[in-house]
Amino acid sequence: MPAAIGPSSPWDAVPDLLRARGMRWTPQRRTLIEVLAGIGGHLTGAELVERCRAADPTTTPSTVYRTLDVLEELGFIRHGHGADGREEFHVLPRTAHGHLHCGTCGSSWELGASEVGGLVRALRRGRGFHVDLSHVTIVGQCESCASAESRP
Amino acid sequence: MPAAIGPSSPWDAVPDLLRARGMRWTPQRRTLIEVLAGIGGHLTGAELVERCRAADPTTTPSTVYRTLDVLEELGFIRHGHGADGREEFHVLPRTAHGHLHCGTCGSSWELGASEVGGLVRALRRGRGFHVDLSHVTIVGQCESCASAESRP
DNA sequence: GTCGGTATTGCGACGCCTTGCAACAACAGC
DNA sequence: GCTGTTGTTGCAAGGCGTCGCAATACCGAC
Ligand SMILES: [Mn+2]
Ligand SMILES: [Mn+2]
Ligand SMILES: [Zn+2]
Ligand SMILES: [Zn+2]
């Protein structure tokens, strides 16, 4: 009788992907991946460290950040920076996107390829520059903050 | 005989601008402004702290960063963030511009309003969002790094 | 010129992230 | 199963900023 097959997840491939590159599958990496698999969306590095520490109190920040680097190289996550420069990680992004961030109220929105496509193509054609869309964060003022300011 | 009139500089207005807002003109602010007046272009916060310390060894980082905030509110400088999230200051920008940064070789270029204008207008019309152009840093790969990678 | 209110400074502590290094432990090979 | 190689970890230290707080000093008023 064959073992039951659980629901498959993209994360299941990580151990073999690592070993195929001569890297190793360690308990610390397993902890981070379990954390990442249990959430979605955007988190800061500090939040990820915190969640790993909840799962395993012996977690060390440097190990988490180094593993995040590895997972980004493998394409499982991407990072950008908030308005203050802090790292924000996007887990398993369906499609590349940047971020729009209101410096006044702190809200943020995803910036689709359709909105930035013109700029991306212009930079590619005009300068040969390849934009890393997921690293793009546009900071400014959102509609409600701008109108609140002009009509005090 | 009237006193000789030296070459006038935009920085000359700072003391009175501060006092008009109920703020104060201090030796520490004078030091930073002399540093800023002596250079141009883009510098990181740490570089500015370093230059202030060279001019006055008693310089404290927190005071420099707080004064940079004040000068940015007055419009004398603007800041963005490098690929690693560190602050970069632009002194007396002639015209608002963003930055293009190659994550591979570290080079960077100015991004003119003409190149980003389409995106800025689209975000304004579509979302009511007001982009802070000088805070924009687009990271990616420059032409020479991209071709070096595709033709190894 | 002195005085007082209050903006500013310097300090210490903290938060986020990176790096060098010695000790450890995956895992390939036998 | 061992064993050796070498990728990883944990630690300590450092760099970049930020913040709260008590002491300082700017500057407007008299
Ligand atoms: Mn910023
Ligand atoms: Mn980055
Ligand atoms: Zn807002
Ligand atoms: Zn390059």
Side-chain angles (χ1 to χ4, degrees), chain B residues 10-59:
Chain B
W11 301 108
D12 295 345
V14 172
D16 286 341
L17 280 173
L18 290 174
R19 284 189 279 251
R21 294 177 150 222
M23 299 174 161
R24 295 175 187 175
W25 178 239
T26 67
Q28 293 83 355
R29 290 180 173 171
R30 182 159 153 32
T31 299
L32 174 56
I33 283 180
E34 280 171 358
V35 165
L36 292 172
I39 57 184
H42 312 72
L43 290 122
T44 66
E47 283 165 346
L48 287 170
V49 169
E50 192 44 48
R51 289 185 189 241
C52 285
R53 209 194 289 283
D56 173 3
T58 71
T59 298

Side-chain angles (χ1 to χ4, degrees), chain A residues 52-139:
Chain A
C52 285
R53 207 194 290 283
D56 172 4
T58 71
T59 297
T60 289
S62 54
T63 298
V64 174
Y65 285 107
R66 285 189 282 228
T67 302
L68 287 168
D69 288 345
V70 170
L71 292 176
E72 185 157 12
E73 264 166 53
L74 294 181
F76 285 86
I77 59 178
R78 310 295 328 244
H79 86 274
H81 298 265
D84 52 4
R86 278 201 287 239
E87 290 187 315
E88 289 180 353
F89 291 89
H90 329 309
V91 183
L92 286 177
R94 308 165 153 281
T95 159
H97 62 265
H99 292 87
L100 208 57
H101 192 97
C102 174
T104 304
C105 68
S107 305
S108 69
W109 297 266
E110 294 196 356
L111 198 52
S114 64
E115 289 177 289
V116 209
L119 176 61
V120 169
R121 278 188 300 271
L123 291 176
R124 177 104 46 149
R125 287 205 315 258
R127 305 194 185 234
F129 191 94
H130 296 237
V131 173
D132 175 4
L133 177 53
S134 65
H135 196 281
V136 170
T137 300
I138 304 272
V139 178

Side-chain angles (χ1 to χ4, degrees), chain B residues 54-90:
Chain B
D56 173 3
T58 71
T59 298
T60 290
S62 53
T63 297
V64 174
Y65 285 108
R66 285 188 284 226
T67 302
L68 287 168
D69 287 345
V70 170
L71 292 177
E72 186 157 11
E73 265 166 52
L74 294 181
F76 285 85
I77 59 178
R78 309 296 326 242
H79 87 273
H81 298 266
D84 53 3
R86 278 202 286 242
E87 289 187 315
E88 289 180 354
F89 291 89
H90 328 309

